[in-house]
mmCIF file of all heavy atoms in Angstrom:
data_model
loop_
_atom_site.group_PDB
_atom_site.id
_atom_site.type_symbol
_atom_site.label_atom_id
_atom_site.label_comp_id
_atom_site.label_asym_id
_atom_site.label_seq_id
_atom_site.Cartn_x
_atom_site.Cartn_y
_atom_site.Cartn_z
ATOM 1 N N ILE B 550 55.619 104.230 129.240
ATOM 2 C CA ILE B 550 55.034 104.195 127.910
ATOM 3 C C ILE B 550 54.334 102.846 127.621
ATOM 4 O O ILE B 550 53.298 102.815 126.939
ATOM 5 C CB ILE B 550 56.102 104.495 126.824
ATOM 6 C CG1 ILE B 550 56.306 105.977 126.756
ATOM 7 C CG2 ILE B 550 55.745 103.958 125.500
ATOM 8 C CD1 ILE B 550 57.417 106.395 125.876
ATOM 9 N N LEU B 551 54.857 101.802 128.253
ATOM 10 C CA LEU B 551 54.250 100.535 128.065
ATOM 11 C C LEU B 551 52.830 100.495 128.610
ATOM 12 O O LEU B 551 52.052 99.628 128.268
ATOM 13 C CB LEU B 551 55.050 99.437 128.818
ATOM 14 C CG LEU B 551 56.228 98.815 128.047
ATOM 15 C CD1 LEU B 551 56.975 97.906 128.925
ATOM 16 C CD2 LEU B 551 55.687 98.122 126.839
ATOM 17 N N ARG B 552 52.513 101.428 129.474
ATOM 18 C CA ARG B 552 51.157 101.445 130.038
ATOM 19 C C ARG B 552 50.156 102.115 129.110
ATOM 20 O O ARG B 552 48.963 102.036 129.354
ATOM 21 C CB ARG B 552 51.146 102.174 131.406
ATOM 22 C CG ARG B 552 52.001 101.527 132.428
ATOM 23 C CD ARG B 552 51.658 102.009 133.835
ATOM 24 N NE ARG B 552 52.531 101.357 134.789
ATOM 25 C CZ ARG B 552 53.737 101.829 135.230
ATOM 26 N NH1 ARG B 552 54.120 102.950 134.743
ATOM 27 N NH2 ARG B 552 54.474 101.159 136.044
ATOM 28 N N ILE B 553 50.598 102.782 128.075
ATOM 29 C CA ILE B 553 49.684 103.423 127.094
ATOM 30 C C ILE B 553 48.975 102.331 126.339
ATOM 31 O O ILE B 553 49.597 101.468 125.769
ATOM 32 C CB ILE B 553 50.394 104.312 126.092
ATOM 33 C CG1 ILE B 553 51.216 105.395 126.822
ATOM 34 C CG2 ILE B 553 49.381 104.951 125.147
ATOM 35 C CD1 ILE B 553 52.009 106.228 125.819
ATOM 36 N N PRO B 554 47.628 102.330 126.398
ATOM 37 C CA PRO B 554 46.968 101.267 125.630
ATOM 38 C C PRO B 554 47.050 101.533 124.116
ATOM 39 O O PRO B 554 47.181 102.679 123.702
ATOM 40 C CB PRO B 554 45.508 101.394 126.100
ATOM 41 C CG PRO B 554 45.342 102.752 126.606
ATOM 42 C CD PRO B 554 46.716 103.190 127.095
ATOM 43 N N TYR B 555 47.022 100.452 123.370
ATOM 44 C CA TYR B 555 47.216 100.596 121.905
ATOM 45 C C TYR B 555 46.101 101.454 121.296
ATOM 46 O O TYR B 555 46.326 102.196 120.340
ATOM 47 C CB TYR B 555 47.149 99.222 121.296
ATOM 48 C CG TYR B 555 47.709 99.156 119.899
ATOM 49 C CD1 TYR B 555 49.043 99.454 119.626
ATOM 50 C CD2 TYR B 555 46.881 98.833 118.801
ATOM 51 C CE1 TYR B 555 49.572 99.400 118.377
ATOM 52 C CE2 TYR B 555 47.391 98.801 117.498
ATOM 53 C CZ TYR B 555 48.716 99.087 117.268
ATOM 54 O OH TYR B 555 49.222 99.031 116.040
ATOM 55 N N ARG B 556 44.908 101.456 121.905
ATOM 56 C CA ARG B 556 43.805 102.208 121.357
ATOM 57 C C ARG B 556 44.067 103.708 121.281
ATOM 58 O O ARG B 556 43.497 104.388 120.449
ATOM 59 C CB ARG B 556 42.500 101.958 122.141
ATOM 60 C CG ARG B 556 42.538 102.562 123.480
ATOM 61 C CD ARG B 556 41.101 102.938 124.025
ATOM 62 N NE ARG B 556 40.241 101.769 124.187
ATOM 63 C CZ ARG B 556 39.298 101.437 123.352
ATOM 64 N NH1 ARG B 556 39.106 102.140 122.251
ATOM 65 N NH2 ARG B 556 38.528 100.389 123.532
ATOM 66 N N ALA B 557 44.918 104.190 122.213
ATOM 67 C CA ALA B 557 45.214 105.605 122.169
ATOM 68 C C ALA B 557 46.203 105.995 121.107
ATOM 69 O O ALA B 557 46.332 107.115 120.671
ATOM 70 C CB ALA B 557 45.743 106.045 123.537
ATOM 71 N N LEU B 558 46.923 104.957 120.590
ATOM 72 C CA LEU B 558 48.042 105.238 119.695
ATOM 73 C C LEU B 558 47.635 105.085 118.197
ATOM 74 O O LEU B 558 48.065 105.844 117.373
ATOM 75 C CB LEU B 558 49.213 104.321 119.959
ATOM 76 C CG LEU B 558 49.955 104.612 121.245
ATOM 77 C CD1 LEU B 558 50.984 103.500 121.522
ATOM 78 C CD2 LEU B 558 50.669 105.959 121.162
ATOM 79 N N TYR B 559 46.805 104.048 117.894
ATOM 80 C CA TYR B 559 46.696 103.744 116.505
ATOM 81 C C TYR B 559 45.963 104.823 115.666
ATOM 82 O O TYR B 559 46.370 105.016 114.517
ATOM 83 C CB TYR B 559 46.131 102.356 116.303
ATOM 84 C CG TYR B 559 44.642 102.138 116.544
ATOM 85 C CD1 TYR B 559 43.721 102.447 115.570
ATOM 86 C CD2 TYR B 559 44.185 101.686 117.775
ATOM 87 C CE1 TYR B 559 42.361 102.296 115.818
ATOM 88 C CE2 TYR B 559 42.863 101.503 118.022
ATOM 89 C CZ TYR B 559 41.923 101.841 117.049
ATOM 90 O OH TYR B 559 40.619 101.707 117.270
ATOM 91 N N PRO B 560 44.936 105.526 116.212
ATOM 92 C CA PRO B 560 44.367 106.591 115.372
ATOM 93 C C PRO B 560 45.411 107.642 115.006
ATOM 94 O O PRO B 560 45.465 108.120 113.852
ATOM 95 C CB PRO B 560 43.269 107.214 116.266
ATOM 96 C CG PRO B 560 42.916 106.147 117.219
ATOM 97 C CD PRO B 560 44.207 105.415 117.510
ATOM 98 N N ALA B 561 46.324 107.916 115.965
ATOM 99 C CA ALA B 561 47.392 108.908 115.650
ATOM 100 C C ALA B 561 48.302 108.384 114.547
ATOM 101 O O ALA B 561 48.666 109.134 113.655
ATOM 102 C CB ALA B 561 48.178 109.216 116.918
ATOM 103 N N MET B 562 48.661 107.072 114.627
ATOM 104 C CA MET B 562 49.555 106.546 113.602
ATOM 105 C C MET B 562 48.903 106.581 112.234
ATOM 106 O O MET B 562 49.527 106.901 111.231
ATOM 107 C CB MET B 562 49.926 105.119 113.975
ATOM 108 C CG MET B 562 50.785 105.060 115.235
ATOM 109 S SD MET B 562 51.617 103.472 115.483
ATOM 110 C CE MET B 562 50.328 102.480 116.169
ATOM 111 N N LEU B 563 47.595 106.287 112.162
ATOM 112 C CA LEU B 563 46.915 106.315 110.887
ATOM 113 C C LEU B 563 46.834 107.705 110.333
ATOM 114 O O LEU B 563 46.993 107.953 109.144
ATOM 115 C CB LEU B 563 45.493 105.715 111.071
ATOM 116 C CG LEU B 563 45.459 104.218 111.308
ATOM 117 C CD1 LEU B 563 44.066 103.757 111.784
ATOM 118 C CD2 LEU B 563 45.889 103.422 110.066
ATOM 119 N N PHE B 564 46.656 108.673 111.263
ATOM 120 C CA PHE B 564 46.652 110.082 110.832
ATOM 121 C C PHE B 564 48.020 110.486 110.242
ATOM 122 O O PHE B 564 48.064 111.147 109.167
ATOM 123 C CB PHE B 564 46.315 110.969 112.020
ATOM 124 C CG PHE B 564 46.600 112.447 111.796
ATOM 125 C CD1 PHE B 564 45.804 113.178 110.981
ATOM 126 C CD2 PHE B 564 47.675 113.031 112.391
ATOM 127 C CE1 PHE B 564 46.053 114.559 110.751
ATOM 128 C CE2 PHE B 564 47.980 114.360 112.204
ATOM 129 C CZ PHE B 564 47.184 115.119 111.347
ATOM 130 N N PHE B 565 49.098 110.091 110.876
ATOM 131 C CA PHE B 565 50.410 110.461 110.375
ATOM 132 C C PHE B 565 50.691 109.787 109.046
ATOM 133 O O PHE B 565 51.384 110.365 108.207
ATOM 134 C CB PHE B 565 51.541 110.071 111.383
ATOM 135 C CG PHE B 565 51.530 111.076 112.532
ATOM 136 C CD1 PHE B 565 51.309 110.652 113.818
ATOM 137 C CD2 PHE B 565 51.808 112.388 112.320
ATOM 138 C CE1 PHE B 565 51.292 111.539 114.859
ATOM 139 C CE2 PHE B 565 51.821 113.304 113.311
ATOM 140 C CZ PHE B 565 51.568 112.881 114.627
ATOM 141 N N ILE B 566 50.157 108.615 108.810
ATOM 142 C CA ILE B 566 50.275 107.965 107.495
ATOM 143 C C ILE B 566 49.659 108.799 106.458
ATOM 144 O O ILE B 566 50.243 109.122 105.456
ATOM 145 C CB ILE B 566 49.697 106.529 107.534
ATOM 146 C CG1 ILE B 566 50.617 105.647 108.390
ATOM 147 C CG2 ILE B 566 49.535 105.965 106.140
ATOM 148 C CD1 ILE B 566 50.033 104.273 108.617
ATOM 149 N N CYS B 567 48.394 109.223 106.683
ATOM 150 C CA CYS B 567 47.657 110.000 105.698
ATOM 151 C C CYS B 567 48.388 111.310 105.366
ATOM 152 O O CYS B 567 48.689 111.620 104.214
ATOM 153 C CB CYS B 567 46.252 110.308 106.214
ATOM 154 S SG CYS B 567 45.160 108.916 106.202
ATOM 155 N N ILE B 568 48.619 112.088 106.423
ATOM 156 C CA ILE B 568 49.174 113.389 106.189
ATOM 157 C C ILE B 568 50.633 113.348 105.705
ATOM 158 O O ILE B 568 51.077 114.112 104.880
ATOM 159 C CB ILE B 568 49.012 114.337 107.416
ATOM 160 C CG1 ILE B 568 49.159 115.821 107.009
ATOM 161 C CG2 ILE B 568 49.974 113.986 108.518
ATOM 162 C CD1 ILE B 568 48.606 116.800 108.005
ATOM 163 N N GLY B 569 51.325 112.333 106.171
ATOM 164 C CA GLY B 569 52.733 112.157 105.759
ATOM 165 C C GLY B 569 52.834 111.853 104.280
ATOM 166 O O GLY B 569 53.618 112.484 103.556
ATOM 167 N N VAL B 570 52.016 110.958 103.780
ATOM 168 C CA VAL B 570 52.038 110.622 102.342
ATOM 169 C C VAL B 570 51.541 111.826 101.489
ATOM 170 O O VAL B 570 52.122 112.144 100.465
ATOM 171 C CB VAL B 570 51.175 109.366 102.056
ATOM 172 C CG1 VAL B 570 51.153 109.097 100.566
ATOM 173 C CG2 VAL B 570 51.751 108.218 102.781
ATOM 174 N N TYR B 571 50.485 112.482 101.976
ATOM 175 C CA TYR B 571 49.985 113.635 101.276
ATOM 176 C C TYR B 571 51.031 114.692 101.113
ATOM 177 O O TYR B 571 51.182 115.314 100.074
ATOM 178 C CB TYR B 571 48.746 114.146 101.981
ATOM 179 C CG TYR B 571 48.143 115.368 101.283
ATOM 180 C CD1 TYR B 571 47.241 115.238 100.253
ATOM 181 C CD2 TYR B 571 48.480 116.636 101.669
ATOM 182 C CE1 TYR B 571 46.730 116.312 99.583
ATOM 183 C CE2 TYR B 571 47.970 117.743 101.019
ATOM 184 C CZ TYR B 571 47.074 117.582 99.969
ATOM 185 O OH TYR B 571 46.560 118.656 99.344
ATOM 186 N N SER B 572 51.827 114.864 102.173
ATOM 187 C CA SER B 572 52.822 115.970 102.218
ATOM 188 C C SER B 572 53.935 115.784 101.166
ATOM 189 O O SER B 572 54.579 116.774 100.791
ATOM 190 C CB SER B 572 53.450 116.113 103.600
ATOM 191 O OG SER B 572 54.384 115.049 103.795
ATOM 192 N N VAL B 573 54.196 114.546 100.655
ATOM 193 C CA VAL B 573 55.288 114.358 99.744
ATOM 194 C C VAL B 573 55.058 115.118 98.412
ATOM 195 O O VAL B 573 55.909 115.819 97.930
ATOM 196 C CB VAL B 573 55.499 112.861 99.460
ATOM 197 C CG1 VAL B 573 56.560 112.668 98.393
ATOM 198 C CG2 VAL B 573 55.927 112.155 100.715
ATOM 199 N N ASN B 574 53.840 114.920 97.837
ATOM 200 C CA ASN B 574 53.574 115.571 96.563
ATOM 201 C C ASN B 574 52.298 116.465 96.567
ATOM 202 O O ASN B 574 51.817 116.857 95.500
ATOM 203 C CB ASN B 574 53.375 114.530 95.453
ATOM 204 C CG ASN B 574 54.625 113.784 95.128
ATOM 205 O OD1 ASN B 574 55.719 114.372 95.103
ATOM 206 N ND2 ASN B 574 54.507 112.501 94.953
#
Side-chain angles (χ1 to χ4, degrees):
Chain B
I550 278 173
L551 274 176
R552 296 197 182 91
I553 303 177
Y555 197 65
R556 71 152 62 257
L558 289 172
Y559 74 85
M562 294 195 279
L563 291 167
F564 165 74
F565 285 117
I566 288 173
C567 289
I568 199 163
V570 176
Y571 180 84
S572 74
V573 175
N574 292 319

